[in-house]
Amino acid sequence: MKNFFLSIFILSSFVLNAQTKVIKTNALKSNNYGVEYILPQTQLIIEVEYSKVTKKSGQYARYASRYLGLPDDKINFENQTIYTLDNVHVKDQGIPNKDQTYLVEFKAKTTAPFVYLTSDGMICTINAEYTPEEEKETSIATEKKESFISPQSIFTEEYLHAGSIGKMAEVAAKNIYNIRETRQDILMGEVENMPKDGEAMRIVLAGLEEQERLWVELFTGTTETKKGKKRIYLDPTMELSKDILFRFSKHNGIVDREDLSGVPVFINLIDLKTVEIPELDPKRKAKEPQSVVYNVPGKAQVEIFTADKSIYQGDHEITQFGTTQILATSIFEDKTNPVKIYFYPNTGGIKQIIN
């Protein structure tokens, strides 16, 4: 079995304003001028967007053609739920790699050294102020038309006393045609009590339209579409070739990889070999307490696809496909011009060195 980690959870509709918390840590005599930090490893976030269409049959569906002249494709004859796969997005994020925990030690003569760390210990800057970027994420809206009229309020005495399904369907159809005739008379100005102004006209017509919709739905049934999404978290440890990421069922949506009710959605993860991996130096560990260890991430191509079509393709930085390098802490000993280092907290790579 291939060794990689997958986890899934459902995201409900919401709006998230997330901002990474950071902590400023000073290298002081009390902590022996040392700051412990963690380098990140890459986690891929695969966001799957889908639609859920719920169809409910009309109470008088079999009378829709006779009384309203509606074609069969406009009528829900049975209850059903259908899922469709809309889109897939992939982004990468850094999570702490507890196997890459380091202690950077500064000499006592270094000018006020400090380090910014994320709340979970990943390095952001050395000797430089840091403000994390705000991340915004919006949910997918749910498509649902809310009625401002109670369905029961449209039922007339004649309808309620109809006595049989066929007679009730006939009365319901008659009410639909009465509403349409009334609306046409208002628009033609052929009613005794015309609305007083444009706003009153709009309210009256909207009410008639809503009543008609509720009556018609007794024949056609209702269709409701909801947009949703799920996230899959993948911590890659090696290349993947046509691995099943999840399965998708038109009746159940996203299902587990072992659930044969869905068709498989595959993933390829191809190491682009952008970083040369050096041989391990057995003396390196002895040097690291007086060094700053940082990541040099590699790159990988991510492909997500079904048997019929490609869904996503893109390149992502993957620290697990890279290596680490070191900087000697002696670069911080210049009191007149302290060196500032900015890291990519997401990858642990060096973004900028300012001298």
Side-chain angles (χ1 to χ4, degrees):
M1 181 180 290
K2 295 187 177 181
N3 180 26
F4 67 96
F5 172 76
L6 278 174
S7 61
I8 301 176
F9 69 88
I10 301 174
L11 286 182
S12 301
S13 293
F14 67 98
V15 177
L16 175 66
N17 291 318
Q19 190 170 42
T20 304
K21 293 181 180 179
V22 293
I23 301 169
K24 183 178 183 180
T25 304
N26 294 299
L28 305 172
K29 185 177 181 181
S30 58
N31 56 16
N32 295 320
Y33 298 98
V35 176
E36 186 177 86
Y37 65 95
I38 302 172
L39 288 179
Q41 65 182 22
T42 300
Q43 182 178 76
L44 294 177
I45 304 175
I46 300 154
E47 191 167 81
V48 185
E49 298 178 355
Y50 61 90
S51 296
K52 176 184 178 182
V53 179
T54 303
K55 295 184 177 183
K56 294 184 178 180
S57 64
Q59 185 175 346
Y60 310 129
R62 61 195 179 103
Y63 297 96
S65 177
R66 181 193 305 180
Y67 291 126
L68 300 181
L70 295 175
D72 287 353
D73 61 355
K74 299 293 184 182
I75 305 164
N76 297 337
F77 288 98
E78 59 183 20
N79 297 334
Q80 59 178 326
T81 300
I82 300 173
Y83 288 84
T84 56
L85 180 59
D86 297 334
N87 211 340
V88 173
H89 304 282
V90 180
K91 66 179 181 179
D92 48 78
Q93 69 172 3
I95 59 173
N97 183 352
K98 298 299 175 65
D99 294 332
Q100 284 194 299
T101 301
Y102 300 96
L103 179 70
V104 54
E105 294 182 359
F106 300 90
K107 292 185 178 180
K109 295 181 180 180
T110 306
T111 304
F114 63 91
V115 176
Y116 267 93
L117 306 173
T118 65
S119 58
D120 43 16
M122 295 186 294
I123 194 163
C124 301
T125 63
I126 297 176
N127 283 345
E129 296 296 328
Y130 180 78
T131 302
E133 294 181 3
E134 184 174 308
E135 296 180 2
K136 293 184 178 179
E137 181 180 338
T138 57
S139 69
I140 303 175
T142 297
E143 297 177 8
K144 185 177 181 181
K145 185 173 182 179
E146 297 291 344
S147 175
F148 59 87
I149 295 178
S150 167
Q152 291 75 22
S153 68
I154 65 172
F155 295 159
T156 62
E157 183 178 358
E158 182 184 8
Y159 173 80
L160 294 173
H161 292 87
S164 68
I165 293 294
K167 182 61 177 177
M168 293 175 78
E170 182 182 348
V171 174
K174 184 172 69 172
N175 288 335
I176 292 171
Y177 290 117
N178 286 340
I179 290 170
R180 292 175 179 174
E181 184 178 345
T182 300
R183 181 169 58 234
Q184 184 65 23
D185 289 344
I186 291 174
L187 292 172
M188 299 294 293
E190 296 178 357
V191 294
E192 292 183 5
N193 298 313
M194 283 290 293
K196 295 180 180 179
D197 53 35
E199 179 62 17
M201 173 81 79
R202 186 192 66 79
I203 293 172
V204 170
L205 292 176
L208 290 172
E209 181 180 345
E210 185 70 0
Q211 290 180 47
E212 180 184 351
R213 183 180 69 83
L214 292 172
W215 281 113
V216 170
E217 284 179 351
L218 292 175
F219 292 88
T220 63
T222 60
T223 300
E224 181 182 66
T225 301
K226 289 185 177 180
K227 300 288 187 178
K229 56 186 172 183
K230 285 187 180 181
R231 278 184 172 181
I232 299 172
Y233 290 78
L234 171 61
D235 301 340
T237 58
M238 60 183 174
E239 293 185 295
L240 303 174
S241 178
K242 206 175 182 180
D243 279 53
I244 297 177
L245 184 62
F246 61 92
R247 289 178 181 268
F248 195 86
S249 163
K250 71 175 184 178
H251 299 297
N252 300 309
I254 298 171
V255 297
D256 191 74
R257 290 180 295 155
E258 284 73 38
D259 189 337
L260 299 183
S261 69
V263 297
V265 177
F266 302 101
I267 182 170
N268 286 341
L269 184 66
I270 304 167
D271 185 354
L272 297 178
K273 310 292 185 184
T274 56
V275 176
E276 184 177 350
I277 310 298
E279 293 184 8
L280 183 64
D281 181 358
K283 298 180 181 179
R284 180 174 174 180
K285 277 289 183 183
K287 300 176 183 178
E288 285 173 357
Q290 295 297 326
S291 307
V292 177
V293 183
Y294 62 94
N295 279 334
V296 181
K299 279 190 176 182
Q301 184 181 77
V302 179
E303 300 174 347
I304 298 175
F305 56 97
T306 65
D308 300 325
K309 64 178 181 178
S310 174
I311 302 174
Y312 175 87
Q313 183 170 316
D315 294 347
H316 294 265
E317 290 191 320
I318 307 290
T319 60
Q320 293 90 311
F321 293 164
T323 185
T324 57
Q325 295 291 346
I326 59 174
L327 286 173
T329 54
S330 58
I331 65 173
F332 300 110
E333 295 177 10
D334 187 347
K335 295 182 180 181
T336 60
N337 195 16
V339 169
K340 299 179 180 179
I341 301 180
Y342 294 85
F343 297 85
Y344 293 103
N346 201 40
T347 64
I350 290 181
K351 180 179 182 180
Q352 188 178 21
I353 298 177
I354 299 176
N355 193 338

